[in-house]
Amino acid sequence: MCGIVGYLGDRPAYDILIKGLKRLEYRGYDSAGVAMIHNGAFSLFKCKGKVSDLEEAVGMQDKSGNVGIGHTRWATHGPPNDVNAHPHASNDGTLVLIHNGIIENYASLKSELINRGHVFKSDTDTEVLVHFIEDIRDKTGANLFDAVRIALSEVIGAYAIVILDKSNPHQMIAARKSSPLVIGVGKDNEFYIASDATPIIEYTRNVVYLEDEEIARLDRTDGLKIVTISNQNKDPYVQELEMKLEAIEKGGYDSFMLKEIHEQPRSINDSIRGRMNLGMGTVKMSGVDEHADRWNKATRILVVACGTSWHAGLVAEYLFEEFARIPVEVEYASEFRYRNPVIYPTDVVIAISQSGETADTLAAIELAKEAGAFIFGVCNVVGSSIARATHSGAYTHAGPEIGVASTKAFTAQVSVLYLLALSVAQLRGMMRPERLNRLMAELNSVPEKIAEVLKTNEDVKKIAEIYKDSTNALYLGRGYSFPVALEGALKLKEISYIHAEGYPAAEMKHGPIALIDEEMPVFVIATQGASYEKVVSNIQEVKARKGKIIAIVTEGDKVVKELADHAIEIPKSDDSLVPLISVIPFQLLSYHVAVMRGCNVDQPRNLAKSVTVE
Ligand code: F6R
């Protein structure tokens, strides 16, 4: 949820930290701070607001130092303000620490420390942790590396931390549990550390992903040493990053969200490339053939995910039930983990997550693992916690998604789930080769169709202009288009702050119809397919109550265009592929409405890209 960055080497740390924090700002952006060691003292700057506010606050002050840490915060304990911003200092001021996660037993630790004379300035659990580490160091006489290890063995909760000691500018200590940390290894014991690889890739491609309950000592002389909380030595496993620098820059667009919407023809191609052979009529997904027995004996699929990824999971329910004839249940990970759910060892659990770090999804995976189910991950971030916690899986290959509102990750997830459903149907002999071939060919043409839909941008913008001041909106769809109605509503509310609801079109008459009047825009996916006539009837029900209809229709449609106030045409495709195409105008619409309302589309209020707290 928060962004962590650190540098230890010969270069000025401040610029590296600020640049890194800007790359990580999607993880949280309510306050920011940095600390460098210079001449045996900390230069500590922190404030409420964005990284740009921090830069302004630092201004021309001395920011020298070749070692430093930086943090961008998404508040959990205490409101966003200057005092609660990280880094936090220990009682005697010798240590500073940055933290992502939650220390659950912070209250009891804090009262013990207060009894021992510690004075706290902030409301945060982080400040308690740095005082606790200092206390252990002083009580036991241990060095900082050992003190961190001993302290963490008594801590309950989740954390990624980096800590500096002003008397040792040649060293940095880091640790993780349930929150990601990546160490970049430069030349001659130069080190970078961050919550993800984006602040690191322009300096080095060699990285070490810290594992849960590992503590790392980064040292200018001794290099990198890793131990577990139980004090076992671990050999650092250095991997090479494949990410490209251009992928994490805006590339001429005004925002990451707009860039990511426009990237979809490419990102979907990347998601499906190499996974189907049109000539041979076969689909090949990693994790299916290798675990054929688990897929063959599966009597049920459970999908666990949150937010937009949950919507992709809902599309997967329709796909798996139609293609592979396996019953599917789609679960909010946050509900599933606490419901005492019935999980069979014959279940296949598909965990979907863009970031691969969502705490609720991770916990749901652990629960299902304990029950003996087979866990298949669909993640975007390579090497992420979920990717590593699952038995097998497939990456979505959408490339880094920086805009907080998920766009290209959704379509990449649906594309991968589509191929997965086809692959399992093929394995279980549930699909005729002609149908498989036809669907693969249609999937292959989706990127082109999306490129066509992106050309409706100006028309969508005009519609946005008309409805930008609405206070409510309703999104309707049936069958494969129901999850898209949910996703359309989520996109609008999260970035423009207009209240929006997604509903199955036929369910509308059981309640939401009461909301409809001449002020209410109703966005309907009314493409020609299995439920076309039924949706036309639902549109008539809205019109009868004077609601405004904005319809997504199939190219050449006449009936709905006649009824609707506005229509956006999309190319014809099989019903099962409509979600990939019909979601595009909704993404564009939310984007334009948000920009017209003066909202920050990449960093909507109160949200963060990676929700590593429950
Ligand atoms: C919405 C959005 C969130 C995420 C959700 C799950 O645009 O981005 O709803 O989809 O927080 O995140 P991941 O997919 O990273 O597990």
Side-chain angles (χ1 to χ4, degrees), residues 392-406:
S392 186
Y395 283 116
T396 49
H397 298 307
E401 190 181 64
I402 315 276
V404 165
S406 195

Side-chain angles (χ1 to χ4, degrees), residues 210-258:
L210 215 55
E211 298 286 340
D212 266 356
E213 306 208 337
E214 283 184 356
I215 304 157
R217 187 185 67 199
L218 289 60
D219 191 287
R220 291 291 283 145
T221 317
D222 288 349
L224 176 61
K225 179 175 164 67
I226 298 179
V227 297
T228 62
I229 283 200
S230 51
N231 209 11
Q232 307 287 312
N233 281 320
K234 294 289 281 290
D235 285 335
Y237 169 54
V238 182
Q239 311 184 31
E240 199 174 328
L241 278 177
E242 282 175 11
M243 195 187 281
K244 292 200 179 79
L245 188 57
E246 309 86 82
I248 56 164
E249 293 184 333
K250 281 190 197 156
Y253 287 93
D254 288 344
S255 66
F256 282 111
M257 183 179 177
L258 192 60

Side-chain angles (χ1 to χ4, degrees), residues 32-51:
V34 288
M36 282 78 55
I37 305 177
H38 183 53
N39 289 340
F42 288 123
S43 320
L44 177 61
F45 305 104
K46 54 185 195 167
C47 70
K48 178 179 174 201
K50 297 194 182 288
V51 179

Side-chain angles (χ1 to χ4, degrees), residues 306-309 353-356 358 404-406 413 490-491 494 611:
C306 304
T308 289
S309 298
S353 176
Q354 186 287 128
S355 61
T358 301
V404 165
S406 195
Q413 286 166 342
L490 177 62
K491 284 294 88 89
E494 70 181 332
V611 186

Side-chain angles (χ1 to χ4, degrees), residues 120 374 382 533 571 613:
F120 291 93
F374 170 64
V382 177
E533 280 81 18
V613 293

